[in-house]
Amino acid sequence: MNTGSDEPGEVAVASDGTGPGGQGEQDRGLGSRAPEFIKARRALHLSWQVGVFIIGLAVVVAGIIMLPLPGPGWVVIFGGMAIWATEFVWAQLVLRWTKRKVTEAAQRALDPEVRRRNIILSSVGLVIVGVLVGVYLWKFGIVMPWKIKDQ
């Protein structure tokens, strides 16, 4: 993304017209959130960005490790993306896209027709599972894998 200038302290503006000084997170400009005294010195700003990238990478890798293991993998991955979004425009754009998609999915889930369909499907599934458990218990009964009476 071309910001049009390499001057420190300037903020990139998204192509959709959202810029700095707007209301809320959606209208906030894209670019570095580093303090002004860090952005004023190129070497310090570059080292700041490297540090933010390494910390964000560690958090994202921890989230990826948590996907097959116990833990909130996706939450940690998005937390790492949020860390990256404090410095990098590409991460800010990815997070905005993700927030928009999650909001759209939540709105679809709250639709009365979708909720009614989900409740009906869940009820049918529970009835099927209940019938299968009942048939199993009728045929085999409840048999403990250990012999309590023999002790």
Side-chain angles (χ1 to χ4, degrees):
M1 171 179 272
N2 185 6
T3 61
S5 174
D6 291 330
E7 296 298 318
E10 290 192 10
V11 178
V13 178
S15 61
D16 61 356
T18 60
Q23 299 162 356
E25 180 69 24
Q26 192 67 14
D27 294 336
R28 193 170 179 183
L30 300 173
S32 176
R33 307 274 196 276
E36 291 301 322
F37 74 92
I38 291 177
K39 287 195 275 187
R41 293 164 186 83
R42 180 136 176 91
L44 189 57
H45 191 226
L46 185 61
S47 61
W48 175 274
Q49 286 182 326
V50 168
V52 167
F53 182 79
I54 290 172
I55 291 170
L57 182 64
V59 172
V60 168
V61 167
I64 291 171
I65 290 171
M66 284 186 215
L67 287 175
L69 299 175
W74 286 110
V75 173
V76 174
I77 289 172
F78 289 124
M81 289 296 295
I83 291 171
W84 279 338
T86 62
E87 274 310 300
F88 303 108
V89 173
W90 60 268
Q92 292 169 3
L93 295 174
V94 168
L95 278 181
R96 284 184 182 181
W97 179 83
T98 304
K99 286 179 186 178
R100 188 173 62 247
K101 291 299 180 184
V102 166
T103 303
E104 290 172 4
Q107 291 300 321
R108 281 194 309 268
L110 293 176
D111 182 26
E113 291 181 16
V114 174
R115 288 185 64 186
R116 190 176 311 117
R117 182 197 66 203
N118 290 344
I119 289 172
I120 291 171
L121 288 175
S122 298
S123 300
V124 168
L126 285 174
V127 167
I128 290 172
V129 168
V131 167
L132 291 175
V133 167
V135 167
Y136 178 84
L137 290 177
W138 174 69
K139 188 158 181 107
F140 300 107
I142 299 177
V143 179
M144 297 293 177
W146 54 87
K147 303 288 184 190
I148 296 177
K149 295 178 184 177
D150 294 342
Q151 294 181 355

